[in-house]
Amino acid sequence: MIIDCHTHIFPDEIRKDRASFSEKDRGFFSLYKDSKARLAGVEDLIASMDGSGVERSVICGFPWGRPDLCSLHNEYLMESASRYPDRLIAFISLLFADPDWSERELDRRMRSGAKGWGKSPFTMRR
C-alpha cells in the first residue's frame, strides 16, 4: 500500500479568489501570490492518486494566521475526507497564538473524524 503522508488541498473559494486570501494572510501571500503556484482541490488530488497508484493520502490545509481561515480550511478537509473515507486522512490546522480556539477546534474536529493536526502558522517578519 502506498500512502502519501503530506498533501495539501484547498477549497474552491480560495482557489478561485487567491488575491483576496493573499491580502488576508502574509504567509499565504508569500507562497501563493504567483498565479503559477498550483492550488489543488480534492478532485485534483484523487485524480493524481489514481494516476500514481497512491491508495491513501494525508490531507493538510495551510497554516493560516487567523482562526476563521483555519476553520474554513479545516471544514474543507473534513468534508473531503468524508467524501473519500477510504482514501483520505484529515490532519487539521491549528493556531497556537490562540490556544483556547485551538483547543476547541481540535476537540470538535477530532470528534468529527480528524486524525491529527498537521499545520501551525509560521510568523513572517517584515
Side-chain angles (χ1 to χ4, degrees):
M1 174 185 289
I2 299 174
I3 300 174
D4 187 338
C5 66
H6 191 119
T7 64
H8 290 271
I9 57 173
F10 291 85
D12 288 342
E13 60 218 274
I14 294 173
R15 292 185 298 135
K16 291 177 181 175
D17 192 10
R18 177 191 310 246
S20 173
F21 284 89
S22 289
E23 291 174 9
K24 295 174 186 178
D25 190 280
R26 291 185 67 208
F28 184 81
F29 173 81
S30 71
L31 295 175
Y32 294 108
K33 66 182 175 238
D34 186 343
S35 62
K36 293 177 187 171
R38 188 152 186 245
L39 296 172
V42 68
E43 300 301 333
D44 300 316
L45 176 60
I46 294 297
S48 175
M49 290 169 64
D50 290 344
S52 301
V54 174
E55 293 179 45
R56 300 202 70 186
S57 287
V58 175
I59 52 174
C60 302
F62 185 79
W64 300 101
R66 293 177 24 188
D68 60 325
L69 298 176
C70 283
S71 187
L72 169 77
H73 211 146
N74 289 341
E75 186 63 27
Y76 180 70
L77 297 174
M78 299 305 296
E79 289 171 4
S80 297
S82 72
R83 285 179 57 203
Y84 299 97
D86 297 329
R87 306 289 309 272
L88 303 178
I89 302 163
F91 273 40
I92 62 164
S93 297
L94 299 174
L95 181 61
F96 293 123
D98 190 339
D100 293 333
W101 176 86
S102 291
E103 182 178 7
R104 289 189 307 273
E105 183 76 353
L106 179 62
D107 182 59
R108 180 167 72 108
R109 301 301 182 177
M110 294 297 281
R111 282 189 278 113
S112 298
K115 301 302 181 193
W117 63 271
K119 289 291 171 186
S120 301
F122 50 87
T123 57
M124 299 285 298
R125 295 178 193 240
R126 291 186 185 248

